[in-house]
Amino acid sequence: MKQIAIAGAGAMGGRIGSQLKKAGFDVTLVDFWDEHIKAINEHGLEIQTETDTHYMKIDACKPEHTEKAYDLIVILTKAMQSETMVQTLLDRGAIHENTAILTMMNGLGHDERFEKIVPKSQIFLAVTMWTAGLRGPGQILLEGTGRIDLQRADGEADARTQVIADMFNQANLNAYVSDNVLQTVWTKATLNSVLNPLCTILDKTIFEFGEYPEARQQIEPIIEEIVAVAKAKGIVLNKETLVQKIEGAYPKETQGLHYPSMHQDLYHGRLTEVDYLNGQISKYGHELGIPTPNNDMLTHLIHQLEMTHVK
Ligand code: NAD
């Protein structure tokens, strides 16, 4: 795999792209945001770490201007921009018949949406525990550690999966080939579907949310709906494990001091990914005849807040 595109090169795309580039791979950052592309082309990508701030020269362009065909495309737009990104890259000839299209976005159903554009055998799913921040156009903040789990979306063995994991590991991204990535995708989506909307609606950090003595009574019904929908889709989730994982995020030493990304998006006037979290649970529930009143309500409340905060 020689040519790599990071399609959606904000905070997380900037992290994956810059670490691959540093490891010697041929990486292009592809993004819709003019100002961001301009800043990267003029000054390089500004990377702030725990120890320093430095600039990296790295190719960057808009999807409608890309001239290459890529062997690996990592999708890291926000979920609502992802289908337009894949379709634009396809229209530009940037996707060939062996291109691996790896989505590392949060949320559910990305493979189902992408397979309307490209064959499912080209789609790979990844879950990342890395984090990253965007400080402004062309400026990213990289702190902490993480891991990446990946597998082909249809679950089939594919030599490219290990090749991608090896490339990520050369870039110190701590990657693992999974034999059940959907379970990991759904586990992370459950955490995000519980803490993101609740902390956003309540305008609380994860720690502040967890301080409420009856927080467990708030989170359990949401989790139970997700476990039931997952089960109907053949994915086994354990409610108690999910409760423990969520409660494990409350302490200040873990994730407690943070506002979830949905909070940051909404209060910075941006649309959230709620339709790919709680909204997607509700959609599946509706299709499968499983009631999801808690996830329905959370989706509606976030949509109401978007009407107020997103101009
Ligand atoms: P991001 O907001 O930094 O970037 C996403 C896209 O939005 C990029 O294409 C970026 O250029 C564009 N964008 C950002 N600000 C913009 C602005 N002011 N004007 C125009 N365009 C703008 O998002 P991200 O955090 O990199 O998230 C990408 C995906 O990765 C999401 O699905 C997210 O849930 C997931 N994710 C993020 C993290 C994290 O720590 N950042 C961790 C795990 C998963």
Side-chain angles (χ1 to χ4, degrees):
M1 290 196 173
K2 288 202 163 55
Q3 291 294 336
I4 304 169
I6 309 295
M12 189 52 73
R15 174 185 278 284
I16 305 298
S18 62
Q19 289 194 216
L20 285 167
K21 174 78 181 176
K22 194 174 169 196
F25 294 103
D26 197 336
V27 178
T28 306
L29 302 181
V30 180
D31 205 274
F32 289 114
W33 186 12
D34 282 311
E35 234 185 315
H36 188 51
I37 295 296
K38 193 163 168 275
I40 297 168
N41 284 329
E42 279 180 11
H43 314 292
L45 180 66
E46 185 187 310
I47 303 168
Q48 185 183 330
T49 68
E50 279 129 344
T51 51
D52 75 343
T53 299
H54 58 277
Y55 290 83
M56 173 182 276
K57 194 172 157 20
I58 185 165
D59 289 341
C61 67
K62 296 192 73 181
E64 57 270 34
H65 297 150
T66 186
E67 308 252 301
K68 295 179 187 168
Y70 300 101
D71 305 308
L72 170 64
I73 301 178
V74 182
I75 308 291
L76 272 164
T77 57
K78 288 286 188 179
M80 44 280 190
Q81 303 160 324
S82 61
E83 286 153 275
T84 309
M85 175 61 85
V86 174
Q87 186 65 59
T88 309
L89 291 173
L90 185 68
D91 294 345
R92 282 297 296 177
I95 297 174
H96 59 70
E97 61 183 19
N98 281 318
T99 303
I101 297 166
L102 176 85
T103 159
M104 210 181 278
M105 297 178 292
N106 282 329
L108 298 169
H110 303 309
D111 50 332
E112 295 163 2
R113 282 181 285 273
F114 288 176
E115 70 176 303
K116 294 181 182 142
I117 308 172
V118 293
K120 192 157 187 177
S121 57
Q122 290 186 244
I123 305 169
F124 294 71
L125 293 175
V127 183
T128 182
M129 298 311 289
W130 288 97
T131 60
L134 187 64
R135 295 172 50 243
Q139 302 173 308
I140 59 169
L141 173 67
L142 306 185
E143 290 175 331
T145 59
R147 62 179 276 155
I148 296 170
D149 294 89
L150 72 147
Q151 187 183 22
R152 209 170 95 165
D154 58 11
E156 295 292 322
D158 187 317
R160 290 174 294 180
T161 322
Q162 189 62 56
V163 173
I164 299 166
D166 289 346
M167 288 162 64
F168 285 163
N169 283 325
Q170 284 179 56
N172 295 321
L173 284 164
N174 199 21
Y176 298 85
V177 172
S178 170
D179 60 5
N180 193 1
V181 80
L182 270 177
Q183 190 186 46
T184 315
V185 166
W186 276 76
T187 298
K188 189 166 187 211
T190 306
L191 270 56
N192 288 331
S193 297
V194 172
L195 290 176
N196 283 21
L198 290 173
C199 291
T200 303
I201 293 160
L202 295 166
D203 191 15
K204 287 190 170 191
T205 62
I206 295 170
F207 172 78
E208 288 164 351
F209 172 75
E211 283 280 272
Y212 180 55
E214 291 170 44
R216 186 177 285 199
Q217 287 180 42
Q218 281 187 287
I219 68 172
E220 279 185 337
I222 308 166
I223 299 171
E224 282 162 11
E225 289 175 10
I226 300 175
V227 171
V229 170
K231 189 176 173 204
K233 288 188 74 72
I235 293 140
V236 180
L237 298 178
N238 180 280
K239 182 187 144 187
E240 284 314 316
T241 308
L242 292 165
V243 169
Q244 277 168 26
K245 274 185 189 287
I246 289 166
E247 293 182 344
Y250 297 163
K252 289 181 180 172
E253 313 77 70
T254 58
Q255 294 170 60
L257 291 175
H258 295 276
Y259 289 101
S261 60
M262 186 178 283
H263 183 286
Q264 295 175 34
D265 285 335
L266 184 84
Y267 295 110
H268 284 99
R270 297 187 295 261
L271 288 172
T272 73
E273 291 183 305
V274 72
D275 288 339
Y276 304 84
L277 295 165
N278 311 83
Q280 188 65 53
I281 299 293
S282 296
K283 195 161 171 253
Y284 288 144
H286 186 73
E287 287 164 8
L288 295 160
I290 298 170
T292 57
N294 290 285
N295 283 281
D296 300 355
M297 180 58 78
L298 290 172
T299 308
H300 289 310
L301 291 173
I302 295 295
H303 283 164
Q304 288 264 13
L305 286 168
E306 286 176 340
M307 285 178 71
T308 308
H309 293 277
V310 182
K311 298 297 171 218

